[in-house]
Amino acid sequence: MAELVLGSAQIISISPLLKSLAGDSGSSVTPGEIASAFALIFDNQLSAIQCSSLLTLLHVSKRDREPEVIALCAGKMRDSAAQVDRRALREVVRKRGQKEGGYRGGLCDIVGTGGDGHSTFNISTTSSILASSLLLLSKHGNKASSSTSGSADLLQSIVPKAPNIEAVTSASLPHIYEKTNYAFLFAPKFHPGMRHVAPIRKELGLRTIFNLLGPLANPVEGNIEARVVGVPQKALGLVFAEALRLSGAKKAMVVCGAEDLDEISCAGKTYCWRLVERPNPAFRGSKNEEDEEYTTSDDEAPPRTLVEIEDFELEPSDFGLPAHSLIEVQPGKLPKENAEILVELLQNQLPRDDPVVHFCLINTAALFVIAGVCDAHSSDMGYGDSGEVILETGPSQGRWKEGVRRARWAIESGEAWKSLSRFIDITNSI
């Protein structure tokens, strides 16, 4: 790569790589080479023309739909992000996380790529708040790109007092988790390098690899235990599942509603790809799963576990709920309207059978199942919990109805509202 110094930035030419990408569908370029060129974007080391050319060629050649390319580019994006003190974060997570069933008390996320064009209610953001009643949530999000109400827009529209999402930084995050189970990681605060490519993306006017990387670019990726990721096209499901596996994820589910919806659909069928961690029969070390200190100098040694991908389908009935058309869950258009609905839902002011409530319940339930809390044979969530665990299993042996029971408790006990309120208070006091 040739170098050219313009002002204070050292511009690097990637012309040879661009030529290779333009020829023979770019198949001669390795994922590692693509990721190395991609990383230059965050340090403003690519000219605007070469940056736009790289993004366009990746799109046209469909190289940006390859699991390894997505995983490696997401890794470069995280490497360039504001770095969180991992030790401090790990310590507070160990102190605050409540282990239950298969859940080990780690951070969780529920997020969609966006761009499905349906303009439904902010389901993943609302579900992340509901889930924080039992899990530690690290919700990574941004303002709207293709919709009218992004996750950040929604939170900043809460009245009478909204959370100060700008106060959540790499330095303050461990302190925030000392006070609440919920944190919203506003992408611009953690990914300052994105400012270099923002005007280019806007002028290009086409969806690029950046439209796929959000769910994999969580700044606390190494501390994420479980997640649910929504994609807007069925063809991306297995691609994302493989990218997650390559990134080291062990507990995750990628979903796509049959209507090309990047959530679990309340209207009918949802396609699912679940990462499941299983014991590796070839493993030669300690069989004690609690022995986290086990290490080996043999780089070729078989790992303790293997992560497999299961594909299946879910329907609202698997959660014990009726189906609702997507029109019924498009109640608001602007962030202010959606924020009003969010507060009403969290304060248990909406009818139990409201379509928006059901939509949020099934998506929250999915995260509970994937995290592992629904594997518990007993239940003592707190005030209002009957303790009657629903043991019935559905697709992929998931206790989806138990997930709904716990999600309802999060609303009706007021615990989800308390969790959000604590987040609002702590972010406004920093």
Side-chain angles (χ1 to χ4, degrees), residues 19-261:
K19 290 178 181 178
S20 296
L21 280 175
D24 193 26
S25 299
S27 59
S28 62
V29 183
T30 69
E33 290 170 334
I34 291 172
S36 294
F38 184 78
L40 299 174
I41 293 173
F42 306 108
D43 292 325
N44 200 25
Q45 291 186 293
L46 284 186
S47 69
I49 291 176
Q50 291 210 335
C51 180
S52 60
S53 297
L54 175 62
L55 297 178
T56 302
L57 286 170
L58 289 176
H59 177 76
V60 172
S61 65
K62 300 190 186 306
R63 295 300 304 275
D64 60 0
R65 297 297 193 273
E66 295 178 10
E68 190 173 1
V69 170
I70 292 173
L72 290 178
C73 287
K76 296 296 185 182
M77 188 171 173
R78 294 192 303 270
D79 290 344
S80 70
Q83 298 300 303
V84 178
D85 184 333
R86 299 289 178 182
R87 178 175 296 181
L89 182 60
R90 191 179 304 112
E91 288 178 359
V92 72
V93 167
R94 284 180 175 174
K95 181 173 66 175
R96 293 269 303 156
Q98 298 294 314
K99 296 181 180 180
E100 185 173 10
Y103 175 54
R104 299 173 183 174
L107 299 177
C108 302
D109 192 11
I110 177 168
V111 61
T113 60
D116 62 16
H118 287 290
S119 297
T120 54
F121 181 67
N122 298 87
I123 297 300
S124 64
T125 307
T126 305
S127 297
S128 70
I129 297 169
L130 294 182
S132 70
S133 58
L134 298 176
L135 311 174
L136 289 177
L137 258 291
S138 181
K139 173 64 175 167
H140 185 224
N142 206 341
K143 289 181 176 291
S145 174
S146 57
S147 66
T148 55
S149 179
S151 52
D153 303 305
L154 174 75
L155 294 175
Q156 290 181 314
S157 299
I158 293 174
V159 293
K161 184 167 69 173
N164 179 12
I165 60 176
E166 298 274 354
V168 183
T169 65
S170 58
S172 67
L173 190 60
H175 174 61
I176 289 171
Y177 278 123
E178 290 178 353
K179 305 295 182 180
T180 178
N181 278 9
Y182 189 79
F184 180 82
L185 280 60
F186 186 36
K189 295 294 291 186
F190 287 86
H191 297 284
M194 286 294 292
R195 70 184 185 277
H196 303 308
V197 73
I200 295 172
R201 293 177 64 195
K202 186 175 182 180
E203 286 192 39
L204 275 178
L206 54 84
R207 291 182 66 80
T208 70
I209 190 170
F210 280 109
N211 294 94
L212 302 176
L213 294 184
L216 298 174
N218 194 314
V220 294
E221 172 68 25
N223 297 85
I224 297 289
E225 177 180 343
R227 80 196 80 199
V228 172
V229 176
V231 295
Q233 299 168 20
K234 183 182 178 182
L236 287 172
L238 183 57
V239 169
F240 253 80
E242 289 285 4
L244 282 166
R245 180 161 62 176
L246 288 170
S247 299
K250 296 180 179 179
K251 293 164 67 174
M253 185 165 74
V254 180
V255 301
C256 179
E259 310 85 0
D260 287 341
L261 182 72

